[in-house]
Amino acid sequence: MADLVQENHPFKKPMIVFDFDKTLTYRDTTLPFLAFGLSPMLSMFCHISYYSLALLVKMQILDVLRLKQLMVNWRFKGFDDHAWKLHCKAFSAVIKTNSIYNQTNWNQSNLVVASASFKEVLLHLFPSSVLVIGSVVEIEKKISITKHAMGEQKAKFLRAEGIESFDRLYTDSLADLPLMKMAREVVWVKGDQQELLSHQKINNWLKKN
């Protein structure tokens, strides 16, 4: 399968950055991505394993990257690069997007999608004019998550693209606080609802975190 490519991105103002999971979708896609294509019994095992590890994350025994790496190792054991890309493409077709995604003109050249979701999935959902920043895997003897675009790492990947600041951020998560520092304004998303956050509210979150 040929690799999907993106255009070069000399941005024009205003620059808008979107998170993906629960910002442009109705639910987080991590677990559905892992369970996609499994038999009912294996899907149940996948759910039990994921929620068990998520509990360890909540208890601060594991971090999110370690959870994902353990689950990816189990789910995609024996996959080669071609099989991985086929899985990502097939899963992208069943993601339920929300009204923000559906009503946005994605053919503009000033849009960025920055997400901890796998980049290989995201590339099927946006035209090449959109800069997509996502988590990346490499498959050699085993599958490894080499880039995890979450929190401060997401901000680091934006800076690596020459983006030090931007005009608007759409997000649903406090994990994007590092991006809120870079944005002139922040739109908080919940389902199909949007709220323009006050600077005072953002500053209060930053002080608490």
Side-chain angles (χ1 to χ4, degrees), residues 132-199:
V132 174
I133 294 172
S135 297
V136 176
V137 304
E138 289 184 2
I139 302 176
E140 293 181 356
K141 291 183 179 179
K142 62 178 182 179
I143 186 167
S144 301
I145 301 173
T146 56
K147 291 183 179 179
H148 187 227
M150 182 175 179
E152 190 58 54
Q153 284 296 107
K154 189 189 290 189
K156 177 182 176 181
F157 295 146
L158 283 170
R159 294 188 187 101
E161 295 288 342
I163 302 171
E164 297 291 339
S165 63
F166 46 90
D167 296 276
R168 179 178 293 180
L169 170 68
Y170 286 83
T171 184
D172 69 289
S173 175
L174 289 177
D176 281 333
L177 280 173
L179 273 66
M180 294 184 193
K181 297 177 185 178
M182 302 167 70
R184 288 180 57 193
E185 59 183 33
V186 178
V187 178
W188 190 257
V189 178
K190 187 173 183 180
D192 289 323
Q193 305 302 311
Q194 305 176 43
E195 176 191 356
L196 182 63
L197 297 182
S198 67
H199 291 293

Side-chain angles (χ1 to χ4, degrees), residues 107-149:
N107 291 310
Q108 303 174 75
S109 62
N110 61 330
L111 305 181
V112 180
V113 174
S115 171
S117 297
F118 292 110
K119 183 175 180 177
E120 190 64 37
V121 174
L122 298 175
L123 288 174
H124 294 284
L125 294 164
F126 302 95
S128 61
S129 57
V130 175
L131 174 60
V132 174
I133 294 172
S135 297
V136 176
V137 304
E138 289 184 2
I139 302 176
E140 293 181 356
K141 291 183 179 179
K142 62 178 182 179
I143 186 167
S144 301
I145 301 173
T146 56
K147 291 183 179 179
H148 187 227

Side-chain angles (χ1 to χ4, degrees), residues 16-205:
I16 304 173
V17 177
F18 297 83
D19 182 34
F20 184 70
D21 278 348
K22 297 177 73 175
T23 297
L24 299 176
T25 68
Y26 288 111
R27 59 184 295 195
D28 187 271
T29 62
T30 304
L31 180 53
F33 174 78
L34 294 165
F36 182 71
L38 293 177
S39 67
M41 185 169 292
L42 282 177
S43 179
M44 182 180 296
F45 178 79
C46 181
H47 279 73
I48 292 170
S49 300
Y50 182 88
Y51 286 125
S52 298
L53 292 173
L55 181 59
L56 295 180
V57 172
K58 191 171 184 179
M59 296 168 65
Q60 299 185 338
I61 296 172
L62 290 181
D63 60 21
V64 174
L65 175 56
R66 183 60 178 158
L67 178 156
K68 287 185 177 180
Q69 186 64 70
L70 288 169
M71 291 300 300
V72 164
N73 286 347
W74 168 78
R75 174 62 180 88
F76 300 104
K77 183 179 181 180
F79 272 52
D80 60 13
D81 190 61
H82 180 69
W84 166 258
K85 289 178 178 178
L86 285 176
H87 180 90
C88 291
K89 182 178 181 180
F91 178 72
S92 71
V94 303
I95 294 174
K96 187 174 182 182
T97 54
N98 64 14
S99 63
I100 300 173
Y101 173 92
N102 296 330
Q103 294 171 11
T104 299
N105 176 10
W106 294 107
N107 291 310
Q108 303 174 75
S109 62
N110 61 330
L111 305 181
V112 180
V113 174
S115 171
S117 297
F118 292 110
K119 183 175 180 177
E120 190 64 37
V121 174
L122 298 175
L123 288 174
H124 294 284
L125 294 164
F126 302 95
S128 61
S129 57
V130 175
L131 174 60
V132 174
I133 294 172
S135 297
V136 176
V137 304
E138 289 184 2
I139 302 176
E140 293 181 356
K141 291 183 179 179
K142 62 178 182 179
I143 186 167
S144 301
I145 301 173
T146 56
K147 291 183 179 179
H148 187 227
M150 182 175 179
E152 190 58 54
Q153 284 296 107
K154 189 189 290 189
K156 177 182 176 181
F157 295 146
L158 283 170
R159 294 188 187 101
E161 295 288 342
I163 302 171
E164 297 291 339
S165 63
F166 46 90
D167 296 276
R168 179 178 293 180
L169 170 68
Y170 286 83
T171 184
D172 69 289
S173 175
L174 289 177
D176 281 333
L177 280 173
L179 273 66
M180 294 184 193
K181 297 177 185 178
M182 302 167 70
R184 288 180 57 193
E185 59 183 33
V186 178
V187 178
W188 190 257
V189 178
K190 187 173 183 180
D192 289 323
Q193 305 302 311
Q194 305 176 43
E195 176 191 356
L196 182 63
L197 297 182
S198 67
H199 291 293
Q200 181 179 356
K201 189 167 190 175
I202 296 170
N203 288 334
N204 287 340
W205 282 346

